[in-house]
């Protein structure tokens, strides 16, 4: 897929997929080595500028013009509900349910889904208010840029991209597992064992790469076309889910629930942290706000509706699985298919496998659409090369961003095992959801020029206390096996900070079209529970997360910071010219010359 664009320097039309220097580093800081050296010397100054600079709602809407072609507004709330379910119901429920029931939670895995679902639903509310008022493709990146500044937004952006790449890779590898079940093979029969690599990365998966390539073709063709494909696949998927629940309960044995809480409360929350993976994907729907016909109506219905339906289905599926088989006998690769095989319904495993494949195909498709739109909006700010921001004039889709993200997904899917991917994905997701809830509180309570300095200081103190007390609660949970004294200190401090925010800091902004209820309580609880679930994730995953964040910082200090700084200053100059009437005169003079 190519896009013919006009080269401003030559006046000639060229292909949008060409690789020229100005496609990637067009900013002033990169025009000469001298400029770049000077920019690096100014890094501390520029960093401070970017940390304390916040974007605005209108600015995020204005940068859409940098994509050269507008995305087509073709989606309704009905499309978004199906996109939401298509984005979420996939590998998480069909693979991780078995893994977490067997290893961490037992039959109480249903409570793990309730906890992670409640957390995800609170995050959905926070996302929805932003998506309605800032309907752009940037999703949480745009929201954080408006409320917490460029630097925090970039760190979140890197983790957003990691979330999508890892999520897509995990689903693709799970697709291989269920496909193997469908053709009566072991998943490793379809993989290449590379004995020269370490154990976690030596099961090479060409099938996962193949399905990602096919999904990429659909994603670059048309958003509405992708919606129709997702719609059909999701209907089939829902039918199969009801088949699993009804036929599974026909084979239920209540004796399998005798050891409901075998692993205790700690096991429930440990599983919740991993099973948050099963809810990842709904944020992709918020990136489609730019293509939604009526954001104020369609986004709340689409996001909240799909999440409620998904949570109910997840809990029903978890109960069904653990009633069909003792938790210690559940297969960790294809649990539902093997459960039907265990009760003598061999034919049913093929129906389940086919339905799971349909569901995971939908997840891959919606993920491909969502991740490309994130990258598109990030590139519009020049924190990533602007080549990724180009929207194809013919298809109305960001082809460059889609192909790049899907290629990265294919590489990760080829090498990396599912358990590594799911833990790392949960960290990125919980971190981002926590930041979005924090940003919502900032949006409601702080408006420059409206909020007094005293109220601003109160807000900072309350938010810092909420985050720190939540972090100590999570840390105490992670380090103390049986202690409880710490919670008697940290939880009341969190509650006091939230009460203080509610009682002593007036809200500076009311939502224009749709607002999160129970502010500040709902966002504050969202912050606390997201941080708490982080305390249940293993140490190695945090090491990988820290390594990725370190790489992001290296890129930011060498390239992203300077590109974003130059672009922001150029925008400021343009606006000052408009305000001073210079731009108008230049346009009038140009029109006169043309005549």
């Amino acid at each position: 897929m190519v896009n013919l664009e006009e080269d401003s320097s030559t006046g000639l039309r060229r292909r949008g997929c060409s690789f020229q220097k100005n496609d990637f580093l067009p900013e002033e800081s990169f025009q000469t080595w001298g400029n770049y050296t000077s920019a690096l010397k100014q890094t501390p100054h520029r960093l401070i500028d970017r940390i304390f600079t916040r974007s605005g709602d209108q600015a995020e809407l204005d940068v859409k013009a940098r994509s050269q072609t507008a995305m087509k507004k073709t989606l309704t709330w009905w499309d978004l509900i199906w996109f939401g379910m298509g984005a979420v119901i996939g590998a998480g429920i069909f693979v991780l349910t078995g893994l977490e029931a067997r290893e961490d939670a037992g039959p109480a895995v249903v409570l793990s889904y309730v906890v992670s679902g409640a957390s995800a639903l609170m995050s959905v509310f926070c996302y929805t208010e932003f998506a309605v008022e800032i309907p752009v493709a940037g999703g949480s990146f745009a929201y954080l840029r408006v409320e917490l500044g460029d630097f925090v937004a970039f760190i979140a952006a890197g983790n957003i991209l990691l979330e999508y790449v890892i999520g897509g890779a995990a689903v693709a590898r799970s697709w291989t597992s269920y496909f193997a079940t469908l053709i009566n093979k072991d998943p490793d029969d379809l993989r290449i064992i590379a004995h020269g690599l370490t154990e976690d990365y030596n099961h090479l998966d060409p099938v996962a790469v193949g399905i990602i390539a096919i999904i990429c073709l659909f994603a670059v063709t048309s958003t509405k076309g992708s919606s129709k494909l997702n719609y059909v696949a999701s209907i089939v998927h829902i039918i199969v889910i009801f088949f699993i629940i009804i036929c599974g309960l026909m084979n239920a044995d209540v004796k399998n629930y005798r050891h409901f809480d075998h692993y205790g409360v700690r096991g429930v929350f440990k599983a919740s942290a991993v099973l948050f993976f099963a809810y990842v994907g709904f944020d992709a729907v918020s990136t489609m706000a730019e293509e939604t016909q009526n954001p104020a109506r369609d986004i709340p219905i689409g996001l909240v509706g799909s999440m409620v339906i998904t949570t109910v289905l997840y809990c029903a599926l978890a109960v069904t699985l653990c009633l069909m088989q003792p938790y210690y006998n559940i297969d960790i690769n294809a649990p539902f298919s093997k459960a039907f095989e265990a009760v003598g319904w061999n034919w049913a495993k093929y129906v389940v496998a086919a339905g799971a494949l349909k569901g995971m195909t939908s997840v891959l498709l919606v993920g491909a659409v969502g991740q490309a739109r994130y990258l598109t909006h990030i590139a519009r700010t020049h924190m990533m090369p602007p080549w990724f921001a180009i929207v194809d004039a013919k298809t109305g889709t960001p082809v460059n961003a889609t192909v790049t993200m899907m290629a990265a997904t294919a590489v990760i899917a080829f090498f990396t095992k599912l358990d590594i991917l799911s833990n790392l994905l949960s960290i990125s997701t919980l971190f981002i959801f926590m930041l979005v809830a924090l940003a919502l509180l900032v949006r409601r309570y702080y408006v420059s020029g409206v909020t007094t300095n005293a109220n601003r200081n109160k807000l900072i103190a309350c938010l810092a206390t909420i985050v720190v007390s939540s972090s100590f609660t999570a840390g105490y949970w992670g380090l103390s096996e049986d202690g409880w004294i710490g919670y008697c200190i940290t939880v009341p401090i969190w509650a006091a900070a939230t009460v203080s925010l509610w009682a002593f800091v007036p809200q500076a902004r009311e939502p224009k079209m749709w607002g999160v209820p129970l502010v500040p309580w709902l966002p504050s609880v969202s912050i606390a529970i997201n941080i708490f679930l982080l305390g249940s994730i293993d140490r190695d995953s945090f090491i990988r997360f820290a390594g990725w964040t370190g790489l992001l910082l290296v890129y930011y200090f060498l390239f992203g910071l300077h590109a974003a700084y130059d672009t922001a200053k150029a925008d400021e100059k343009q606006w000052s010219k408009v305000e001073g009437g210079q731009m108008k005169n230049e346009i009038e003079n140009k029109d006169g010359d043309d005549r």
Side-chain angles (χ1 to χ4, degrees):
M1 188 69 65
V2 296
N3 180 35
L4 294 174
E5 304 295 342
E6 184 172 323
D7 189 327
S8 59
S9 62
T10 63
L12 300 176
R13 294 177 68 80
R14 60 183 179 83
R15 294 182 181 274
C17 63
S18 61
F19 292 89
Q20 298 183 10
K21 177 186 175 184
N22 283 345
D23 289 332
F24 293 90
L25 297 171
E27 298 81 17
E28 183 179 351
S29 292
F30 305 103
Q31 296 306 303
T32 66
W33 280 108
N35 286 5
Y36 185 54
T37 301
S38 176
L40 290 178
K41 291 179 180 178
Q42 297 178 46
T43 295
H45 163 72
R46 293 184 172 197
L47 178 61
I48 293 172
D49 178 86
R50 293 296 88 196
I51 287 175
F52 292 103
T53 297
R54 302 162 74 212
S55 182
D57 293 10
Q58 190 58 45
E60 294 302 307
L61 296 171
D62 290 340
V63 297
K64 293 191 292 185
R66 293 177 185 158
S67 288
Q68 303 175 11
T69 302
M71 296 186 191
K72 298 175 182 177
K73 291 183 175 293
T74 59
L75 304 179
T76 66
W77 64 267
W78 184 250
D79 294 311
L80 294 183
I81 281 183
W82 286 101
F83 259 127
M85 290 190 293
V88 174
I89 304 176
I93 185 63
F94 283 111
V95 176
L96 292 181
T97 304
L99 177 65
E100 292 308 307
R102 181 166 172 167
E103 302 294 337
D104 293 319
V109 70
V110 63
L111 299 181
S112 301
Y113 271 117
V114 171
V115 172
S116 52
S119 176
L121 184 59
M122 284 184 281
S123 297
V124 164
F125 277 110
C126 298
Y127 267 82
T128 300
E129 179 170 330
F130 277 116
V132 168
E133 300 206 355
I134 313 175
V136 295
S140 51
F141 168 74
Y143 315 151
L144 295 175
R145 189 166 177 255
V146 167
E147 300 303 336
L148 300 182
D150 270 18
F151 179 71
V152 173
F154 176 80
I155 298 302
N159 282 286
I160 290 165
L161 297 180
L162 178 67
E163 169 193 323
Y164 275 103
V165 169
I166 289 177
V171 173
R173 288 188 73 92
S174 298
W175 199 98
T176 301
S177 295
Y178 270 92
F179 181 69
T181 301
L182 193 64
I183 61 175
N184 287 319
K185 297 282 188 180
D186 185 271
D188 283 344
D189 292 340
L190 303 180
R191 295 180 176 129
I192 302 168
I193 310 301
H195 298 288
L197 300 176
T198 59
E199 183 179 355
D200 290 333
Y201 303 96
N202 67 350
H203 287 57
L204 310 184
D205 197 331
V207 176
V209 175
I211 188 62
I212 288 172
I214 294 170
I215 291 297
C216 183
L217 291 176
F218 279 102
V220 300
T221 302
S222 165
T223 304
K224 189 64 177 179
S226 297
S227 174
K228 291 177 180 177
L229 176 63
N230 173 71
Y231 180 64
V232 173
S234 295
I235 289 176
V236 174
H237 194 200
I238 296 299
I239 292 172
V240 173
I241 286 174
F242 278 108
F243 169 84
I244 293 172
I245 294 170
I246 295 170
C247 295
L249 292 177
M250 290 171 61
N251 291 279
D253 185 349
V254 293
K255 293 180 181 178
N256 294 329
Y257 252 56
R258 283 184 301 185
H259 303 289
F260 181 78
D261 59 346
H262 177 73
Y263 292 101
V265 175
R266 186 168 292 273
V268 169
F269 281 103
K270 184 178 180 181
S272 291
V274 176
L275 289 175
F276 210 89
F277 172 87
Y279 291 95
V280 169
F282 77 80
D283 49 335
V285 181
S286 71
T287 70
M288 299 173 196
E290 195 171 313
E291 297 157 272
T292 301
Q293 294 176 2
N294 186 349
R297 179 198 65 193
D298 297 337
I299 293 173
I301 296 174
L303 274 171
V304 177
S306 61
M307 182 54 60
V308 170
I309 294 170
T310 297
T311 302
V312 172
L313 291 177
Y314 276 2
C315 291
L317 285 168
V319 169
T320 301
L321 178 63
C322 292
L323 282 173
M324 290 179 70
Q325 269 191 300
Y327 70 90
Y328 47 81
N329 287 335
I330 293 174
D331 183 83
I332 62 175
N333 288 312
F336 288 95
S337 293
K338 294 296 184 180
F340 276 101
E341 186 177 7
V343 297
W345 287 37
N346 290 337
W347 60 272
K349 75 176 185 179
Y350 300 109
V351 176
V352 174
L357 289 176
K358 286 283 188 180
M360 286 184 270
T361 301
S362 296
V363 170
L364 286 170
L365 179 61
V366 179
V369 172
Q371 67 190 11
R373 279 141 188 80
Y374 265 124
L375 181 55
T376 297
H377 197 77
I378 294 167
R380 287 168 174 172
T381 69
H382 287 222
M383 288 189 199
M384 294 292 286
W387 182 78
F388 295 114
I390 296 174
V391 172
D392 187 89
K394 182 178 180 181
T395 66
T397 61
V399 175
N400 297 345
T402 303
V403 173
T404 301
M405 291 297 293
M406 294 306 284
T409 302
V411 171
I412 300 297
F414 189 58
F415 290 100
T416 314
K417 292 175 68 175
L418 178 64
D419 53 350
I420 293 175
L421 293 173
S422 60
N423 279 341
L424 187 54
L425 176 65
S426 292
I427 291 181
S428 296
T429 305
L430 290 166
F431 174 68
I432 293 161
F433 288 176
M434 180 273 293
L435 286 178
V436 171
L438 185 67
L440 181 69
L441 289 176
V442 173
R443 181 173 183 81
R444 286 290 193 94
Y445 287 92
Y446 178 78
V447 175
S448 181
V450 176
T451 305
T452 65
N453 289 340
N455 286 331
R456 180 199 62 196
N457 294 337
K458 292 177 188 176
L459 173 63
I460 292 172
C462 289
L463 294 181
T465 304
I466 288 170
V467 171
V468 171
S469 60
S470 299
S471 300
F472 273 103
T473 302
Y476 188 74
W477 169 263
L479 296 174
S480 175
E481 290 289 335
D482 303 310
W484 56 272
I485 296 296
Y487 306 126
C488 296
I489 299 172
T490 59
V491 174
I493 290 175
W494 166 84
T498 308
V499 169
S500 298
L501 181 59
W502 171 73
F504 302 116
V505 184
Q507 290 193 31
R509 187 200 311 262
E510 290 292 330
K512 298 175 184 177
M513 293 177 282
W514 192 94
V516 174
L518 301 175
V519 173
W521 288 100
L522 190 148
S524 182
V525 171
S526 182
I527 292 170
I529 194 170
N530 286 327
I531 293 177
F532 181 77
L533 289 175
L534 283 170
S536 298
I537 295 177
D538 64 280
R539 183 174 64 90
D540 289 344
S541 295
F542 276 101
I543 292 173
R544 296 185 186 104
F545 176 75
W548 171 250
T549 303
L551 290 175
L552 288 176
L553 291 173
V554 170
Y555 169 83
Y556 185 72
F557 291 135
L558 292 179
F559 300 103
L561 168 63
H562 309 293
Y565 180 87
D566 287 350
T567 303
K569 296 308 174 185
D571 288 345
E572 290 175 7
K573 290 179 181 178
Q574 184 177 15
W575 280 112
S576 65
K577 290 174 70 176
V578 171
E579 291 171 357
Q582 299 176 40
M583 186 67 74
K584 179 180 178 182
N585 293 335
E586 290 178 8
I587 293 173
E588 290 175 348
N589 292 336
K590 185 178 185 303
D591 290 342
D593 293 340
D594 292 340
R595 288 194 294 268

